[in-house]
């Protein structure tokens, strides 16, 4: 699914539709071979189609992921049509020390996880000097039971909490809820921020089998509308993208909204497949401020890499300074190319899914609207993903080969039947019967 920031607030981690791989490789002639080996290895480990991340969907960003660059060659690959399923979740769970047998991981019920509004799994391996840090993230969004003011965590996922993993040094559950929501049992520690209260349960200190939530009488909204009434800060930047035009030409229009009262510097990254022949000279960036005034916005930096047919995508990277409380519209045109009949997917009439654009920016240590994956009190790099686009390309009539085969076979059958009869039958003149 798509993360709805207007309803759910700040996502716990970067959320994009599809499968994404980002890697920092050695800057030598072997980088491409290392990238191919890495994607194939990840494909086997997590039972995914990452081995299809070829040169046509691989890019080398220079602005968008600058916070991850520590020297060497940076590679980025995206498969927008790859969806997470149970065959991906099972090897992901096996990476945990105790798998799904203890601790918070005991809540991972596949039957419930794949029946929720949103599901995302991620893995990150970072090296710092001589230390390797491996982090796994799972994000889900589920509706609370309707017409009920009291429910438990086990009712949402169908499982209860278990004892901490024996090899874990820390195991905790953090619940952020409005002050009008009663949480039981009492937490080990609480922290208030605005009208929300953070309840922290330390599973290493005591056993917690379940957590119950009770909405008080003054909380006069349905539990399913909790997210819309909660004062969770809205993300600083929101981005949306769609395709315009029809026929053999069109365009891509991206809307970037700055919800902050201050200037925000962002990096825009967009990888366009080679069969959408992008025209860089048609690029236009216009910003509308809080007073409704619209003006051209000149990017600080522009980096454009043209596409190579069946070789690499076109890459557009921009560094923009978004005015406070502004709405910025970025637009460019393209022509649709022609593909060989063998390059179309089985559902060719559905169209081609275009990977989402990425808007990245940095959060100050004092900014409270930050993902859970960011360490408090530090500078945090945030990535915002737009929706994937669906492009309709000229599609051949795939029924024509069938029509040609049936028509040809019919003619051959009639011709063969006539010739066979002439060659095998014995024609004789019969005398008239007396």
């Amino acid at each position: 699914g798509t993360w709805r920031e207007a309803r759910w607030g700040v996502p716990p981690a970067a959320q994009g539709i599809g499968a994404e791989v980002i890697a920092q490789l050695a800057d030598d002639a072997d980088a491409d071979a290392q990238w191919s080996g890495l994607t194939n290895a990840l494909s086997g480990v997590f039972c995914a189609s990452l081995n299809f991340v070829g040169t046509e969907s691989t890019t080398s960003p220079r602005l968008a992921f600058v916070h991850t660059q520590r020297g060497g060659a940076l590679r980025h690959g995206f498969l927008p049509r790859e969806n997470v399923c149970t065959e991906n979740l099972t090897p992901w769970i096996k990476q945990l020390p105790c798998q799904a047998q203890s601790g918070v991981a005991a809540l991972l019920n596949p039957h419930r996880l794949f029946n929720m509004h949103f599901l995302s799994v991620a893995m990150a391996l970072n090296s710092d000097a001589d230390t390797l840090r491996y982090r796994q993230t799972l994000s889900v969004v589920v509706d609370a039971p309707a017409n009920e003011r009291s429910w438990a965590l086990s009712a949402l996922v169908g499982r209860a909490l278990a004892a901490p993993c024996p090899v874990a040094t820390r195991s905790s559950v953090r619940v952020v809820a409005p002050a009008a929501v009663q949480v039981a049992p009492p937490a080990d520690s609480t922290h208030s921020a605005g009208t929300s209260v953070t309840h922290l349960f330390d599973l290493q200190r005591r056993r917690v089998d379940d957590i119950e939530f009770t909405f008080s009488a003054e909380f006069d909204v349905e539990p399913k509308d909790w997210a819309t009434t909660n004062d969770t800060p809205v993300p600083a930047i929101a981005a949306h993208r769609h395709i315009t035009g029809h026929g053999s030409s069109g365009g891509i229009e991206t809307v970037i909204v700055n919800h902050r009262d201050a200037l925000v510097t962002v990096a825009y990254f967009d990888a366009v497949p080679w069969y959408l022949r992008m025209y860089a000279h048609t690029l236009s960036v216009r910003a509308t401020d809080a007073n409704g005034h619209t003006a051209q916005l000149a990017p600080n930096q522009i980096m454009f890499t043209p596409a190579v047919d069946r070789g690499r995508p076109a890459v557009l990277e921009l560094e923009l300074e978004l005015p406070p409380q502004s709405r910025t519209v970025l637009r460019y045109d393209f022509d649709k190319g022609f593909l060989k009949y063998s390059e179309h997917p089985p559902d060719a009439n559905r169209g081609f899914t275009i990977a989402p654009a990425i808007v990245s920016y940095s959060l100050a240590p004092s900014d409270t609207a930050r993902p859970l994956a960011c360490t408090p009190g530090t500078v945090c790099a945030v990535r915002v993903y737009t929706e994937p686009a669906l492009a309709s390309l000229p599609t051949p009539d795939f029924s024509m080969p069938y029509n040609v085969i049936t028509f040809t076979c019919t003619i051959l059958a009639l011709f063969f039947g006539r010739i066979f009869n002439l060659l095998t039958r014995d024609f004789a003149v019969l005398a008239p019967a007396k």
Side-chain angles (χ1 to χ4, degrees):
T2 303
W3 184 270
R4 305 174 184 177
E5 71 279 349
R7 181 183 176 98
W8 300 331
V10 180
Q15 311 290 356
I17 296 179
E20 182 183 28
V21 183
I22 306 174
Q24 192 81 35
L25 306 172
D27 191 10
D28 52 23
D30 238 10
D32 292 335
Q34 293 176 18
W35 171 254
S36 178
L38 174 65
T39 54
N40 280 274
L42 292 176
S43 176
V45 171
F46 295 103
C47 198
S49 300
L50 299 177
N51 55 311
F52 288 100
V53 180
T55 57
E56 295 183 11
S57 55
T58 299
T59 59
S60 300
R62 289 170 288 180
L63 292 177
F65 303 95
V66 64
H67 58 278
T68 62
Q69 297 185 19
R70 301 177 182 176
L74 181 66
R75 293 291 186 271
H76 175 265
F78 212 107
L79 295 177
R81 293 194 62 178
E82 183 72 9
N83 296 317
V84 62
C85 59
T86 53
E87 63 183 9
N88 308 129
L89 182 64
T90 300
W92 186 91
I93 293 177
K94 289 183 178 180
Q95 302 294 320
L96 300 173
C98 297
Q99 299 187 12
Q101 304 301 320
S102 61
V104 182
L107 301 175
L108 302 180
N109 183 3
H111 298 285
R112 293 293 183 88
L113 292 179
F114 290 95
N115 195 29
M116 296 181 179
H117 292 292
F118 181 86
L119 172 63
S120 173
V121 295
M123 299 73 61
L125 178 63
N126 298 319
S127 62
D128 187 6
D130 296 332
T131 304
L132 288 178
R133 179 175 297 177
Y134 182 67
R135 183 169 189 167
Q136 294 180 244
T137 306
L138 185 141
S139 307
V140 294
V141 176
V142 58
D143 273 342
N147 303 321
E148 295 184 16
R149 289 190 170 269
S150 179
W151 40 270
L153 181 62
S154 59
L156 296 180
V157 296
R159 291 183 181 178
L161 287 168
C165 181
V167 299
T169 58
R170 184 179 62 178
S171 182
S172 60
V173 176
R174 183 171 59 174
V175 178
V176 181
V181 177
Q182 302 175 4
V183 180
D188 296 299
S189 63
T190 58
H191 173 71
S192 299
T195 60
S196 297
V197 180
T198 301
H199 307 261
L200 182 64
F201 297 87
D202 190 351
L203 303 184
Q204 294 283 18
R205 294 182 52 187
R206 59 167 175 160
R207 176 70 181 269
V208 178
D209 296 325
D210 205 354
I211 301 176
E212 297 183 354
F213 306 90
T214 302
F215 292 80
S216 58
E218 60 267 21
F219 199 77
D220 56 351
V221 298
E222 295 293 334
K224 64 183 179 62
D225 296 327
W226 178 11
T228 58
T229 57
N230 192 13
D231 64 345
T232 301
V234 178
I237 300 297
H240 304 279
R241 187 182 69 167
H242 60 274
I243 288 183
T244 62
H246 61 278
S248 60
S249 61
I252 290 182
E253 186 172 293
T254 305
V255 178
I256 307 175
V257 181
N258 179 13
H259 295 291
R260 290 289 186 261
D261 294 327
L263 190 76
V264 178
T265 301
V266 302
Y268 176 82
F269 172 83
D270 197 0
V272 183
W274 63 267
Y275 45 77
L276 296 182
R277 308 188 186 282
M278 175 183 173
Y279 296 115
H281 72 279
T282 62
L283 174 66
S284 66
V285 184
R286 302 182 66 85
T288 304
D289 58 19
N291 298 324
H293 301 298
T294 302
Q296 289 288 132
L297 183 63
N300 294 340
Q301 293 188 64
I302 299 179
M303 292 188 178
F304 175 70
T305 304
V308 175
D309 286 1
R310 300 172 180 84
R312 71 184 182 199
V315 179
L316 175 65
E317 295 184 83
L318 304 174
E319 183 181 298
L320 303 170
E321 291 186 352
L322 305 182
Q325 296 291 338
S326 63
R327 181 179 185 271
T328 303
V329 179
L330 185 151
R331 193 184 189 284
Y332 56 84
D333 298 333
F334 62 78
D335 280 341
K336 300 177 181 179
F338 290 90
L339 300 179
K340 300 176 182 179
Y341 78 93
S342 58
E343 295 175 334
H344 287 270
D347 52 348
N349 292 295
R350 173 187 175 273
F352 288 77
T353 305
I354 311 302
I358 303 175
V359 179
S360 57
Y361 62 99
S362 297
L363 289 176
S366 59
D367 202 319
T368 58
R370 58 175 52 226
L372 295 176
C374 294
T375 304
T378 61
V379 177
C380 178
V382 181
R383 295 196 305 270
V384 179
Y385 293 78
T386 67
E387 302 85 355
L390 189 64
S392 178
L393 298 182
T395 306
D397 184 6
F398 288 101
S399 65
M400 185 56 67
Y402 171 77
N403 298 334
V404 172
I405 292 173
T406 54
F407 182 72
T408 304
C409 290
T410 302
I411 295 177
L412 289 178
L414 295 175
F415 176 76
F416 176 79
R418 293 291 184 93
I419 299 299
F420 183 79
N421 288 337
L422 292 175
L423 295 177
T424 59
R425 286 188 177 183
D426 186 16
F427 296 92
V429 179
L430 298 178
K434 294 182 180 180

